[in-house]
Amino acid sequence: MLGNDGEHALTRRTLLGAAVLGGVSLVTACGSGQRGELRYWNLFSGGDGDTMKAMLADYRAAHPQVRLRDVTLEWGDRYYTKLAMASAAERAPDVAALHLGRLPAFAPGGLIDPIDPDLLRRAGIGAEHFPKGLWRRSHHDGRLFAIPLDTHPFVQYFNVEICREAGLLDEDDVLRPPKGPEELRAQLRATKRVTGSHGLVLETAGDGVVPWRLFWTLYRQAGGNLLTPDGKRSAFDEAKVRSILEYLQSLHAEGLTSTGLDADGAIALFSSERGGFFWQGEWEVRTFQEAEIPFSMMRFPGLFGPPLAEADSHAFVLPHQPERTEQQQLLIYEFAAHLLRNSARWASGGHIPAFLPVTSSPEYTRMRPQSLYRSVIDDVQLDPEVWFAGSGSRMWTELTAILGPVMDERMSVGAGVAAMRRVLQDLLDTPNPVE
């Protein structure tokens, strides 16, 4: 149903559908509707939360005429349900953080409003300031709906001293990237001989994200697609999936990888220097700096093809409001522009700034190890563009519950492949609850 302005009118069905997106109760927030006041919702906790608060303090100091009211909510489906319900009830904040992978769930039902590119340019922001892939994913049906803040890719951490003793570093103390899966296996064997424990530490249990992110990294390297280009049918390549899962399971069978660890357990094990390698998102950089271990980082190596890596992107969006003036939009765009121009501080936690003037700046280039995997920004692989994908989504939860057990041999590869196929088809058969 379309309103007079051509946008999707928010109906009772949309309101109920928004609840289905995350499955928790309605929580609302009052929109500001006033010049000089800005309400901002985000989902940043831990080190990211501290950094965001510092960036907001800088904004307040530079813009004393603006009353900024920020709210931090719990990461994942709870955040997205609250945001969806507030938008559906027309009681949304002025601006909010959203993962680009979640855009297909929010834009079709009118839960977020399109961004005016001309007004955005008046704030000094345009397409030329972002990687082409992230800018493309900021659109839906040809309209701009998001302003990317960063990208956070799957990366490889390694213990420098362990890898040096294992003979894996070059004359400049740089890790030699493996040329394919068997070279990686050899590297893991070498580091296991040094540690006497593990070659690779990774999360395969709990409610974390590594099993999906690792699978999607390798599957995309191999040229695999889950869906047809229109996102309506399965393109599940069983041969590629089986090959990847058999390889990952074989690493565990040889005793080269950790087993049954959740995210906290994997972090603790690598921090205790009982593994040469650690696979995770880049956001743990501060954790290992504070642990004072000799680590470094690199973009995830190309094992089954080019060195592509799974990623998502934090972005700014306009939650739906029935009336938003040009003046209010400019206030929001200037707020986003301020954070983008100062996103070198955001990069200190590991995320790659999406704003290219910062990503190419001397300040960011000098950051170690944060800038060492910067090149992946042009090759990041976001989730398929469907409503059930993206950070903290149903697809992540349901596929991770299969992939983790396969990786550490609690489930056979054959059973895992069949279960993945069923989950994917079930998701495809479920309509977007807010479209």
Side-chain angles (χ1 to χ4, degrees):
M1 175 175 164
L2 296 178
N4 293 332
D5 60 356
E7 296 304 312
H8 290 278
L10 290 165
T11 64
R12 183 174 182 274
R13 179 170 178 242
T14 305
L15 183 66
L16 295 173
V20 176
L21 280 177
V24 298
S25 61
L26 170 64
V27 177
T28 62
C30 297
S32 66
Q34 298 177 12
R35 173 65 180 170
E37 180 174 294
L38 194 61
R39 290 178 180 253
Y40 166 51
W41 280 14
N42 71 80
L43 69 173
F44 302 120
S45 60
D48 282 350
D50 293 341
T51 302
M52 178 56 66
K53 288 185 182 300
M55 294 172 69
L56 297 181
D58 288 346
Y59 173 83
R60 289 185 174 99
H63 300 81
Q65 77 282 9
V66 178
R67 184 187 181 196
L68 175 63
R69 302 175 67 183
D70 64 291
V71 175
T72 301
L73 299 170
E74 186 176 352
W75 189 94
D77 265 346
R78 292 190 177 186
Y79 173 79
Y80 284 116
T81 299
K82 291 174 183 178
L83 181 61
M85 294 299 286
S87 296
E90 297 185 350
R91 296 176 65 81
D94 300 297
V95 58
L98 186 100
H99 287 93
L100 282 186
R102 286 284 196 152
L103 199 66
F106 276 74
L111 294 174
I112 55 177
D113 295 329
I115 289 168
D116 186 324
D118 294 331
L119 290 180
L120 182 63
R121 187 163 289 282
R122 284 172 58 180
I125 305 297
E128 70 276 12
H129 295 123
F130 302 92
K132 291 180 180 179
L134 292 184
W135 189 249
R136 183 188 67 78
R137 288 296 299 262
S138 300
H139 289 71
H140 176 77
D141 282 347
R143 305 186 72 180
L144 180 64
F145 278 90
I147 306 168
L149 171 63
D150 64 32
T151 186
H152 36 284
F154 198 64
V155 297
Q156 178 167 268
Y157 300 76
F158 61 95
N159 186 296
V160 175
E161 291 183 357
I162 292 172
C163 288
R164 183 187 299 120
E165 187 174 346
L168 303 181
L169 306 185
D170 65 17
E171 59 276 8
D172 297 318
D173 244 10
V174 174
L175 180 67
R176 301 182 185 92
K179 297 176 181 177
E182 292 313 308
E183 280 201 15
L184 174 70
R185 189 190 301 275
Q187 289 185 341
L188 300 185
R189 288 170 176 163
T191 53
K192 182 179 180 179
R193 285 193 293 270
V194 174
T195 65
S197 181
H198 304 288
L200 168 66
V201 175
L202 77 165
E203 158 203 326
T204 57
D207 57 358
V209 299
V210 167
W212 162 254
R213 302 194 80 195
L214 173 57
F215 168 76
W216 189 237
T217 292
L218 300 179
Y219 189 58
R220 292 298 296 144
Q221 288 183 1
N225 292 298
L226 282 184
L227 307 174
T228 55
D230 61 7
K232 296 181 179 179
R233 296 181 304 281
S234 173
F236 189 78
D237 190 323
E238 182 170 323
K240 286 186 172 67
V241 172
R242 184 177 293 274
S243 176
I244 290 165
L245 295 184
E246 286 176 347
Y247 173 72
L248 293 173
Q249 195 175 83
S250 76
L251 298 180
H252 183 269
E254 192 177 338
L256 298 175
T257 65
S258 58
T259 185
L261 295 176
D262 62 10
D264 289 341
I267 290 167
L269 193 63
F270 186 72
S271 296
S272 65
E273 302 191 62
R274 294 171 60 194
F277 296 90
F278 177 74
W279 290 350
Q280 178 56 286
E282 32 60 46
W283 52 76
E284 298 297 345
V285 58
R286 280 208 189 101
T287 302
F288 299 134
Q289 287 174 335
E290 291 171 2
E292 298 183 345
I293 63 171
F295 82 101
S296 189
M297 300 164 69
M298 61 184 290
R299 62 183 293 175
F300 199 87
L303 302 180
F304 286 82
L308 309 178
E310 188 277 345
D312 210 328
S313 171
H314 296 117
F316 300 112
V317 297
L318 308 182
H320 175 68
Q321 292 184 357
E323 296 180 2
R324 183 181 275 114
T325 67
E326 179 177 306
Q327 184 182 40
Q328 290 167 340
Q329 285 194 67
L330 277 171
L331 186 65
I332 294 167
Y333 302 152
E334 289 163 0
F335 167 76
H338 178 92
L339 297 187
L340 290 175
R341 294 190 182 103
N342 292 278
S343 56
R345 170 176 281 188
W346 187 243
S348 65
H351 304 319
I352 305 174
F355 194 57
L356 294 177
V358 171
T359 315
S360 59
S361 68
E363 181 180 5
Y364 176 71
T365 303
R366 286 192 297 267
M367 287 187 183
R368 292 290 188 274
Q370 290 91 334
S371 67
L372 298 177
Y373 46 89
R374 176 252 178 261
S375 62
V376 76
I377 197 171
D378 298 316
D379 300 315
V380 292
Q381 304 296 301
L382 274 69
D383 283 5
E385 296 180 63
V386 287
W387 73 269
F388 51 78
S391 293
S393 63
R394 279 185 59 183
M395 185 179 74
W396 277 36
T397 301
E398 295 183 24
L399 290 184
T400 287
I402 300 165
L403 291 165
V406 172
M407 289 175 188
D408 59 16
E409 298 185 278
R410 289 174 284 142
M411 181 186 293
S412 71
V413 170
V417 170
M420 290 177 69
R421 190 191 307 109
R422 287 194 300 272
V423 165
L424 184 60
Q425 192 58 54
D426 286 346
L427 291 171
L428 283 167
D429 291 341
T430 304
N432 185 345
V434 298
E435 188 171 10

